Amino acid sequence: MTQLSIAKDGDISESMHKVADIEGVSTDFLKEKIAAGEIVLLQNIKRKDLFPVGIGTGLRIKINANIGTSKDLNDLELEINKLKEAIKYGAHTVMDLSTGGDLTEIRKRMIEESNVPIGTVPVYQGAYYMMKKGKSFAEMKVKDFFNLIQEQAEQGVDFMTIHCGVTRSSVNRLKKDGRLAGLVSRGGSLMVEWMEFNKAENPFYQYYDDLLAIAYDYDITLSLGDGFRPGAIDDSTDRPQVQELIILGELVERAREGNVQVMVEGPGHIPINEIETNILLEKKLCKNAPFYVLGPLVTDVAPGYDHIVGAIGGSIAAVSGADYLCYVTPAEHLKLPDVSDVREGVIASRIAAHVGDMIRRNEVDWDYALSKARKDFHWDEVIKLALDPVKAETFRSMVKPQDNEVCSMCGDFCAIKKMKKVLGGGE
Amino acid sequence: MTQLSIAKDGDISESMHKVADIEGVSTDFLKEKIAAGEIVLLQNIKRKDLFPVGIGTGLRIKINANIGTSKDLNDLELEINKLKEAIKYGAHTVMDLSTGGDLTEIRKRMIEESNVPIGTVPVYQGAYYMMKKGKSFAEMKVKDFFNLIQEQAEQGVDFMTIHCGVTRSSVNRLKKDGRLAGLVSRGGSLMVEWMEFNKAENPFYQYYDDLLAIAYDYDITLSLGDGFRPGAIDDSTDRPQVQELIILGELVERAREGNVQVMVEGPGHIPINEIETNILLEKKLCKNAPFYVLGPLVTDVAPGYDHIVGAIGGSIAAVSGADYLCYVTPAEHLKLPDVSDVREGVIASRIAAHVGDMIRRNEVDWDYALSKARKDFHWDEVIKLALDPVKAETFRSMVKPQDNEVCSMCGDFCAIKKMKKVLGGGE
């Protein structure tokens, strides 16, 4: 049984009760949207104590933080610190994208230490272990792909990115059309390597039912990876990207028929005026499956500040209907993120998600409360309500005002204070 | 003679030649738009060596950095460092909003040290000197308002924010309607104080022709301040704000009749789905006068990260037709910004301006060049092209990859590298 099959049967699970409560929606609404595939609940059945996270129509916009080792920086404790920092600052989920060290052990620790759903890209593990054996990824056997999924499912991974839409036809579309940055998806590029070398179809596409069977057993939510996401503004919304999305749409319906929860991943580098179209396209082609966007990044020119670039794109995506934002850290395109990069990425993404919730769910009480506290000079309350109270407190303390009511920017020129004096407090 | 009167006469000034050249527009286009009041060139006639900055229809979006001392932090050398940092990172103009120390001397140094136009809010000086004399701002004489303007004009200030739209009628609108955060504009609140105490009309409104006369003499561009800009999401696009904008529209036309260049300031705290409306409203009510927006800030909840919040709002404003973005630093609402806050603010604002230029001027060559360099592993070029090469270089060096072609995030998993190997470099 999966949340999807339960909902289709018209039943309401304990997880649905929990999620409906925290999201402020009715259990009936939630059940109907899960049954329709518009909402997924992330929770591997092995993780009974996990508070499930709901993603999709009518729910708050969620954010994900990617962490994980690499060959160049492989330190499990550092990754655990990143995990904790991400959760502390409000990441709703974390993906372990480790590609260095003992991947199984790292994943085990992440799952143990995390009270939020954990996602993975299973093929990374295959590629890493083949590399360690001195072999090419292309030598991997089809059954090994599914063994990987099985192993990670059994460990308790809650959602998995699988690049099922990287098929012979979509790869041919890429070859035919060309692109500035080519493929920038690691998982996608691995599948292309395997397919080209073996002159074979993507095993996750060809044997999709086997994938669905494992996902069903553990109620793992499939996140259909966007192997062809544009990695440069020049490649945005091109034929390879849309070709893959069409295939993903087909696979969404097959997953739903198999009672497997499924969402769809999306771009990527997209100019600001194409974001709304990308969201609409996903919603149409993939029958309103929850949309998980990476950024989007609205310009290529700001490495070191891609968290800001992603917050711009993410805000517009959120307002336009995206359900789930993958954070981008300041380190993107330059290095593996450290703990402070993770924090900056999570906060930028949370701003974008909240901006979306303000519009889509009319969630403006938080804004009202903070501005009310600001107007009343209740600084303790302002700091407590701030998205990052630690930074707000630190900044306020850096240049202490002589008058405790105001701040050191305006000092005696505080307009709010003057207006209270002149017009009275109750305007 | 002003740039406006020259353009109206059908002539093309040396400044117009310079600006047309750097903006990639024809001198005829520029002349026509200046004559129509849709473009202003910031340059006090006293600053003959200044390269003028053009703002408005068809030109690149410009950004401004606010700096200046306050009572709580008054250090001229620190402000000069902020000025230099702002210019180094790409601010097109700087406003000196000092409210502590020897304001005349500070302004003199700023003008000397700056190769970009300098703006001010002249009433701050009046308020500060009255305060130093132990007097109330309300005791200031009408002629002193204009003496202030004259003094700063003679010093070489290129543009001035004057809160002419804070009138008896707009203040009454505020009293009648109420608001969560009231007035948050320092200049606006000073005018209200003066008007309420003296039971008189705003002298800049009542004697607007005297203001125009000084501005004409020096070809100072008036920036009509938005005293009623919303300081909280809850106050956005309310009647006081729009009431003032209507008055500003009237004053725009009178300035143009007087051959005085003029632009209009705008919000402020505005939810993301009201930004486009705010831009359209200004363009209609103020007859396409260049629009200078402060942010906008799309949420109140992120003090410490308002540069990100402002970059989100600024991007949408820029795409929707705003011409000039006032930066917001991470210090906003908390303290006077330091040098690093200024840098962060300028960079966030430049991202927003570029995002606008990508759409409005199809300026995507920079993005293309950087992504091409990235794809070719020309890291020196990537860093050189980055909006902030210093940070890009620093980040890249922090975790050095073993393979110099890739970065430490993906290492051997670099999708671009894999795809070149598998599909060839020319896809």
Side-chain angles (χ1 to χ4, degrees):
Chain A
M1 282 203 312
T2 62
Q3 296 298 322
L4 177 52
S5 70
I6 295 169
K8 279 186 187 172
D9 289 344
D11 295 328
I12 295 168
S13 67
E14 195 190 332
S15 293
M16 292 180 213
H17 277 290
K18 284 184 187 171
V19 169
D21 187 48
I22 205 167
E23 297 279 351
V25 298
S26 74
T27 47
D28 275 346
F29 171 86
L30 190 68
K31 179 193 67 184
E32 280 162 28
K33 292 298 179 189
I34 293 172
E38 290 188 34
I39 288 177
V40 294
L41 299 195
L42 305 184
Q43 184 184 30
N44 184 316
I45 56 159
K46 290 273 166 185
R47 299 188 73 199
K48 296 203 191 314
D49 296 334
L50 181 74
F51 197 105
V53 167
I55 296 173
T57 308
L59 307 189
R60 277 184 209 97
I61 293 150
K62 304 304 183 300
I63 67 163
N64 173 72
N66 287 338
I67 60 173
T69 59
S70 80
K71 179 182 170 184
D72 295 307
L73 187 59
N74 166 21
D75 176 346
L76 175 55
E77 293 316 312
L78 174 62
E79 296 309 318
I80 298 297
N81 286 339
K82 290 188 205 171
L83 173 77
K84 289 177 179 171
E85 190 82 348
I87 294 171
K88 176 179 164 190
Y89 279 90
H92 302 99
T93 66
V94 172
M95 290 189 77
D96 170 21
L97 304 186
S98 291
T99 57
D102 183 342
L103 303 191
T104 304
E105 179 58 25
I106 293 169
R107 198 180 316 113
K108 182 164 171 284
R109 274 291 300 283
M110 294 253 190
I111 292 168
E112 280 168 11
E113 300 275 359
S114 170
N115 61 356
V116 303
I118 294 287
T120 60
V121 185
V123 292
Y124 290 3
Q125 185 177 349
Y128 181 70
Y129 285 127
M130 293 303 279
M131 198 160 62
K132 281 197 75 173
K133 287 190 230 165
K135 293 188 179 177
S136 152
F137 178 68
E139 296 174 64
M140 202 157 140
K141 303 291 169 226
V142 169
K143 71 169 176 10
D144 293 332
F145 282 99
F146 295 94
N147 289 341
L148 273 180
I149 309 275
Q150 178 70 38
E151 179 199 326
Q152 296 199 5
E154 184 65 27
Q155 260 191 317
V157 171
D158 301 289
F159 62 106
M160 295 181 185
T161 295
I162 318 273
H163 297 86
C164 308
V166 176
T167 65
R168 302 297 287 174
S169 73
S170 55
V171 174
N172 283 339
R173 178 52 70 188
L174 177 72
K175 287 180 184 168
K176 198 165 166 181
D177 288 23
R179 251 191 183 189
L180 175 58
L183 249 73
V184 297
S185 153
R186 287 182 285 186
S189 70
L190 286 167
M191 299 319 296
V192 174
E193 180 183 17
W194 193 93
M195 291 157 63
E196 289 291 308
F197 186 85
N198 293 293
K199 306 264 177 287
E201 187 49 281
N202 179 337
F204 292 125
Y205 180 77
Q206 192 167 5
Y207 307 104
Y208 188 60
D209 288 336
D210 295 348
L211 178 63
L212 294 181
I214 304 172
Y216 177 84
D217 285 345
Y218 294 87
D219 202 1
I220 287 164
T221 296
L222 293 183
S223 184
L224 298 177
D226 56 333
F228 291 86
R229 75 167 166 274
I233 289 292
D234 198 60
D235 300 338
S236 70
T237 325
D238 68 353
R239 290 192 286 258
Q241 183 198 328
V242 179
Q243 180 67 69
E244 180 184 43
L245 193 62
I246 289 172
I247 298 167
L248 297 184
E250 226 184 278
L251 298 176
V252 162
E253 295 204 270
R254 284 178 58 194
R256 288 173 179 173
E257 285 160 20
N259 287 320
V260 170
Q261 300 193 92
V262 64
M263 54 189 175
V264 172
E265 289 182 21
H269 291 242
I270 298 282
I272 197 168
N273 63 342
E274 294 178 15
I275 294 174
E276 196 180 343
T277 297
N278 269 270
I279 309 291
L280 181 68
L281 208 52
E282 188 273 347
K283 292 289 175 186
K284 292 296 289 185
L285 299 178
C286 303
K287 308 290 177 190
N288 294 314
F291 198 19
Y292 177 23
V293 295
L294 313 179
L297 296 174
V298 293
T299 176
D300 304 344
V301 305
Y305 300 88
D306 277 326
H307 60 310
I308 298 179
V309 175
I312 296 168
S315 295
I316 294 166
V319 171
S320 307
D323 305 287
Y324 185 26
L325 309 176
C326 187
Y327 85 168
V328 179
T329 79
E332 185 76 23
H333 300 110
L334 294 170
K335 68 170 175 85
L336 202 71
D338 61 22
V339 174
S340 89
D341 296 323
V342 167
R343 184 179 59 247
E344 294 289 314
V346 167
I347 287 169
S349 231
R350 280 197 65 201
I351 291 172
H354 175 63
V355 167
D357 286 335
M358 287 170 71
I359 309 306
R360 280 166 63 189
R361 288 175 46 110
N362 194 29
E363 296 215 344
V364 291
D365 292 353
W366 184 10
D367 295 81
Y368 186 90
L370 195 143
S371 285
K372 177 83 168 63
R374 180 176 284 153
K375 187 236 175 73
D376 294 339
F377 305 125
H378 293 161
W379 280 98
D380 290 350
E381 189 73 7
V382 167
I383 285 161
K384 206 177 82 186
L385 285 168
L387 196 148
D388 179 359
V390 179
K391 188 170 184 189
E393 172 72 51
T394 307
F395 264 45
R396 171 142 172 89
S397 311
M398 280 169 78
V399 191
K400 271 279 180 204
Q402 293 172 42
D403 171 356
N404 252 328
E405 287 204 328
V406 302
C407 85
S408 60
M409 184 159 180
C410 299
D412 292 329
F413 282 71
C414 177
I416 292 179
K417 187 157 188 173
K418 190 176 288 296
M419 283 304 93
K420 279 193 187 176
K421 203 178 69 183
V422 174
L423 297 180
E427 1 69 289
Chain B
M1 282 204 311
T2 62
Q3 297 296 322
L4 177 53
S5 69
I6 296 168
K8 278 186 188 171
D9 288 345
D11 295 329
I12 295 169
S13 66
E14 196 189 330
S15 293
M16 291 180 213
H17 277 289
K18 285 184 188 171
V19 169
D21 188 49
I22 204 166
E23 297 279 351
V25 298
S26 75
T27 46
D28 275 345
F29 171 85
L30 190 67
K31 178 193 69 186
E32 280 162 28
K33 291 299 180 189
I34 292 172
E38 291 188 34
I39 288 177
V40 294
L41 299 194
L42 305 184
Q43 185 185 29
N44 183 316
I45 57 161
K46 290 273 167 183
R47 299 188 72 196
K48 295 204 192 312
D49 297 334
L50 180 74
F51 197 105
V53 167
I55 296 172
T57 308
L59 307 188
R60 277 185 208 96
I61 294 150
K62 303 304 183 301
I63 68 163
N64 173 72
N66 287 339
I67 60 173
T69 58
S70 80
K71 178 182 170 185
D72 295 307
L73 188 58
N74 167 22
D75 176 346
L76 176 55
E77 293 316 311
L78 173 63
E79 296 308 317
I80 296 299
N81 286 340
K82 289 188 206 171
L83 173 78
K84 289 178 177 168
E85 190 81 349
I87 294 171
K88 176 179 165 191
Y89 280 90
H92 302 99
T93 65
V94 171
M95 290 189 78
D96 169 21
L97 303 187
S98 291
T99 56
D102 182 342
L103 303 191
T104 303
E105 179 58 25
I106 293 169
R107 197 180 315 113
K108 182 165 170 284
R109 274 290 300 284
M110 293 252 189
I111 291 169
E112 280 168 13
E113 299 276 1
S114 171
N115 61 357
V116 302
I118 293 287
T120 58
V121 185
V123 292
Y124 290 2
Q125 184 177 349
Y128 181 69
Y129 285 128
M130 293 302 279
M131 199 159 63
K132 282 196 75 170
K133 287 191 227 165
K135 292 188 182 176
S136 152
F137 178 68
E139 295 175 65
M140 203 159 140
K141 303 290 170 225
V142 169
K143 71 170 178 6
D144 294 331
F145 282 100
F146 294 95
N147 288 341
L148 273 179
I149 308 275
Q150 177 70 37
E151 179 199 325
Q152 297 199 4
E154 185 65 27
Q155 260 191 319
V157 170
D158 300 290
F159 62 107
M160 294 180 187
T161 295
I162 318 273
H163 297 86
C164 308
V166 177
T167 64
R168 302 295 288 172
S169 73
S170 55
V171 173
N172 283 339
R173 178 51 72 188
L174 177 71
K175 288 181 187 170
K176 199 166 165 181
D177 287 23
R179 250 192 183 188
L180 174 58
L183 250 74
V184 297
S185 153
R186 287 181 285 185
S189 70
L190 285 168
M191 299 320 295
V192 174
E193 180 183 16
W194 193 93
M195 291 157 65
E196 289 292 306
F197 185 85
N198 293 293
K199 306 265 176 284
E201 186 50 281
N202 179 336
F204 292 126
Y205 180 77
Q206 191 166 8
Y207 307 104
Y208 188 59
D209 288 336
D210 295 349
L211 177 63
L212 294 180
I214 304 172
Y216 178 84
D217 286 345
Y218 295 87
D219 201 1
I220 286 163
T221 296
L222 293 183
S223 185
L224 299 178
D226 56 333
F228 291 86
R229 75 168 166 275
I233 289 293
D234 197 61
D235 299 339
S236 70
T237 325
D238 67 354
R239 291 192 287 258
Q241 183 199 328
V242 179
Q243 179 68 69
E244 179 183 44
L245 193 63
I246 289 172
I247 298 167
L248 298 183
E250 224 184 278
L251 297 176
V252 161
E253 295 205 270
R254 284 177 59 193
R256 288 174 179 172
E257 285 160 20
N259 287 319
V260 170
Q261 301 192 92
V262 64
M263 54 190 175
V264 172
E265 290 182 20
H269 292 242
I270 297 282
I272 197 168
N273 62 342
E274 294 178 16
I275 293 175
E276 196 180 344
T277 298
N278 269 271
I279 309 293
L280 181 68
L281 209 51
E282 188 274 348
K283 292 289 175 186
K284 293 296 288 186
L285 299 179
C286 303
K287 308 290 177 190
N288 293 315
F291 198 18
Y292 177 22
V293 295
L294 313 179
L297 296 174
V298 293
T299 175
D300 305 343
V301 304
Y305 299 87
D306 278 325
H307 60 310
I308 298 179
V309 175
I312 296 167
S315 294
I316 294 165
V319 171
S320 308
D323 304 287
Y324 186 24
L325 309 177
C326 187
Y327 85 168
V328 179
T329 80
E332 185 76 22
H333 299 111
L334 293 170
K335 68 172 176 86
L336 202 71
D338 61 22
V339 174
S340 89
D341 296 323
V342 166
R343 184 179 60 246
E344 294 289 313
V346 167
I347 287 169
S349 231
R350 281 197 65 201
I351 291 172
H354 175 63
V355 166
D357 286 335
M358 287 171 71
I359 308 305
R360 280 167 62 188
R361 288 176 47 112
N362 195 28
E363 296 215 343
V364 291
D365 292 353
W366 184 10
D367 295 82
Y368 186 90
L370 195 144
S371 284
K372 177 83 167 64
R374 180 177 284 154
K375 187 234 175 74
D376 294 338
F377 304 124
H378 293 162
W379 279 98
D380 290 349
E381 189 73 7
V382 167
I383 285 161
K384 206 177 81 186
L385 285 167
L387 197 149
D388 179 0
V390 179
K391 188 170 184 187
E393 172 73 51
T394 306
F395 264 45
R396 171 142 172 89
S397 312
M398 278 168 78
V399 191
K400 273 279 182 207
Q402 294 172 40
D403 171 356
N404 251 328
E405 285 201 330
V406 302
C407 86
S408 60
M409 184 159 178
C410 299
D412 293 329
F413 282 71
C414 177
I416 293 179
K417 188 157 188 173
K418 189 175 289 293
M419 283 305 91
K420 279 192 186 176
K421 202 178 72 184
V422 174
L423 296 180
E427 355 77 286

